[in-house]
Amino acid sequence: MILITGAAGYIGSHTCIELLNANVEIVAIDNLCNSKAESLKRVESITGKKIIFYQMDVRDKSALREVFNKHKIEAVIHFAGLKAVGESMAEPLKYYDNNILSTITLCEIMDENKVFNLVFSSSATVYGAPNKMPINETSAVGATTNPYGTSKLMIERILNDIHQSNAKWSIAVLRYFNPVGAHESGLIGEDPNGLPNNLMPFITQVAIGKHDYLNVFGGDYDTADGTGVRDYIHVVDLAIGHLSALDYATKNHGIVTLNLGTGIGYSVLDVIHAFEKASNRKIAYKICPRRPGDIASCYADVNLAKELLNWTARFDIHQMCRDAWRWQFNNPNGYQ
Ligand code: NAD
Ligand code: UFG
């Protein structure tokens, strides 16, 4: 049985579908601080399978211990965490407390139960502002620009130390680039609280009429059209990458750190145009000043994941936009 923390969230819920479809038994936990239980109900209806779900905080040691006592957990995929960059700057302690303590608590209980297989959600944000593209896993890390990114970096270090201390650990650290899109059913997707921070949900909300226009943060970057370039990856591809990473971690000891992206960079204007095509709606936008902390370009070298996991992303930017739009169109107010 595989324990999924943060299972009700955006990436967690999509990964639950892929695991259930592959007949993997799962136990899901989430404190629902940034999600709704409805997402897992929809996962059940998509897959036709029941999910064992505990609404609890990963930092609650005794509750977590009970979950491990009740179920024969063989591995953990640890998605639970807070992820809003701006909020992390306003409330750094909340981010360090939640993200780091949840990981320490989880690892302690795993260790107690002799469960040593872990897949962890890290982020391309640990690379800070790299000067060479594409970014490979040996690129320097450390120059993070916000407490969210620093919390991910600190967790990566903790996981490396844990592995150093006991070679039984088998850990896959996955550095995601920019997850977008939704399951093709249109039943689950990204459901941000309040004003979206990220590009794709903002675009879909403009398309559905919630905002008059999109602010394009910066038109004077050193990129082909002056707008920021990112490596957008379909959330279903990302979810499938977790199955491959889990398989790898159960067959190999050690710690491995992998980029999960497509290896292709698209500018903000590229995404707007692809989305217009997919949705047949016009996206009004205004070029405005750069957003503090943003970098010009960020895309992955994805060779290592291909080599070790035999995994590559399959869905292109058009599919990402089509699926993001279907989710938004069918669920104008998210899960409600
Ligand atoms: P999300 O907010 O949709 O999902 C995270 C889930 O964890 C939420 O359901 C939340 O309720 C839960 N959670 C948070 N703290 C918890 C705790 N202490 N105990 C129990 N549950 C808790 O975010 P997501 O986009 O699905 O991201 C999943 C992971 O991937 C996060 O760790 C995030 O930092 C990381 N990540 C996300 C992105 C992205 O752009 N979405 C990029 C890189 C890395
Ligand atoms: N952007 C806009 N307008 C918006 C939102 C974004 O122009 O309203 C631009 C940004 O300036 C950037 C691009 O769109 O050029 C992508 O921005 P996102 O906010 O969607 O994504 P980021 O690359 O800034 O950050 C995301 C996650 C981080 C994560 C990082 C790397 O939000 O948590 O990817 O994985 F660390």
Side-chain angles (χ1 to χ4, degrees):
M1 219 162 209
I2 310 299
L3 177 67
I4 317 292
T5 77
Y10 174 46
I11 306 168
S13 55
H14 285 83
T15 305
C16 287
I17 292 185
E18 300 307 321
L19 288 163
L20 291 170
N21 283 344
N23 292 319
V24 177
E25 286 187 281
I26 61 171
V27 178
I29 65 180
D30 201 302
N31 65 3
L32 303 181
C33 69
N34 195 39
S35 54
K36 305 217 168 60
E38 174 64 18
S39 66
L40 291 175
K41 294 210 180 84
R42 295 194 186 183
V43 170
E44 289 182 333
S45 80
I46 291 166
T47 58
K49 295 187 178 158
K50 280 258 159 266
I51 296 178
I52 302 165
F53 173 60
Y54 296 96
Q55 181 176 346
M56 53 165 278
D57 197 298
V58 184
R59 290 166 294 180
D60 183 342
K61 209 177 214 176
S62 53
L64 194 58
R65 193 174 275 131
E66 229 169 90
V67 172
F68 274 78
N69 286 341
K70 250 193 176 145
H71 304 280
K72 198 177 161 359
I73 310 288
E74 290 147 281
V76 181
I77 307 182
H78 181 36
F79 291 108
L82 300 176
K83 62 166 183 177
V85 171
E87 186 187 57
S88 81
M89 292 169 90
E91 296 180 78
L93 291 177
K94 183 172 158 184
Y95 273 68
Y96 290 124
D97 183 84
N98 191 74
N99 294 358
I100 295 173
L101 270 190
S102 66
T103 309
I104 292 175
T105 309
L106 174 67
C107 291
E108 281 174 347
I109 299 294
M110 287 177 71
D111 192 53
E112 244 177 58
N113 288 275
K114 306 211 174 333
V115 176
F116 295 115
N117 295 334
L118 175 67
V119 176
F120 172 66
S121 302
S122 189
S123 166
T125 193
V126 299
Y127 294 116
N131 44 23
K132 215 177 106 230
M133 290 297 142
I135 307 172
N136 72 31
E137 291 82 352
T138 59
S139 301
V141 295
T144 48
T145 53
N146 56 75
Y148 163 68
T150 308
S151 76
K152 291 290 179 190
L153 189 68
M154 288 163 100
I155 294 167
E156 286 199 4
R157 297 231 164 108
I158 291 169
L159 296 179
N160 272 284
D161 290 343
I162 290 174
H163 164 256
Q164 286 293 322
S165 75
N166 182 350
K168 282 189 178 148
W169 280 94
S170 181
I171 303 173
V173 171
L174 305 180
R175 292 177 177 159
Y176 311 156
F177 281 67
N178 289 56
V180 295
H183 189 259
E184 63 171 357
S185 62
L187 286 171
I188 66 165
E190 189 170 11
D191 183 18
N193 266 332
L195 206 62
N197 298 307
N198 298 116
L199 179 64
M200 188 63 90
F202 207 102
I203 290 180
T204 62
Q205 291 196 3
V206 171
I208 203 85
K210 289 196 171 185
H211 313 289
D212 294 337
Y213 60 90
L214 167 80
N215 285 310
V216 174
F217 299 137
D220 57 352
Y221 283 110
D222 184 16
T223 60
D225 63 20
T227 65
V229 167
R230 296 290 183 275
D231 185 340
Y232 298 93
I233 172 169
H234 197 296
V235 66
V236 172
D237 274 329
L238 192 62
I240 293 168
H242 286 74
L243 270 67
S244 308
L246 188 63
D247 187 52
Y248 183 86
T250 46
K251 290 181 181 150
N252 296 277
H253 285 304
I255 183 160
V256 65
T257 301
L258 297 168
N259 288 341
L260 294 189
T262 62
I264 304 169
Y266 286 106
S267 73
V268 176
L269 296 184
D270 290 334
V271 177
I272 292 174
H273 295 141
F275 188 85
E276 286 182 331
K277 220 169 145 194
S279 64
N280 213 12
R281 299 206 174 190
K282 201 90 203 116
I283 302 300
Y285 66 85
K286 286 185 187 167
I287 306 276
C288 59
R290 295 180 180 191
R291 183 170 66 177
D294 273 357
I295 55 177
S297 251
C298 175
Y299 54 93
D301 178 332
V302 291
N303 285 318
L304 194 59
K306 188 174 180 185
E307 186 188 316
L308 297 186
L309 307 184
N310 195 22
W311 169 91
T312 41
R314 290 178 303 150
F315 297 118
D316 64 12
I317 190 76
H318 304 289
Q319 191 70 37
M320 297 178 210
C321 291
R322 277 197 292 275
D323 290 337
W325 176 232
R326 188 181 305 107
W327 154 253
Q328 178 72 77
F329 187 78
N330 292 347
N331 307 270
N333 298 309
Y335 292 112
Q336 306 213 344

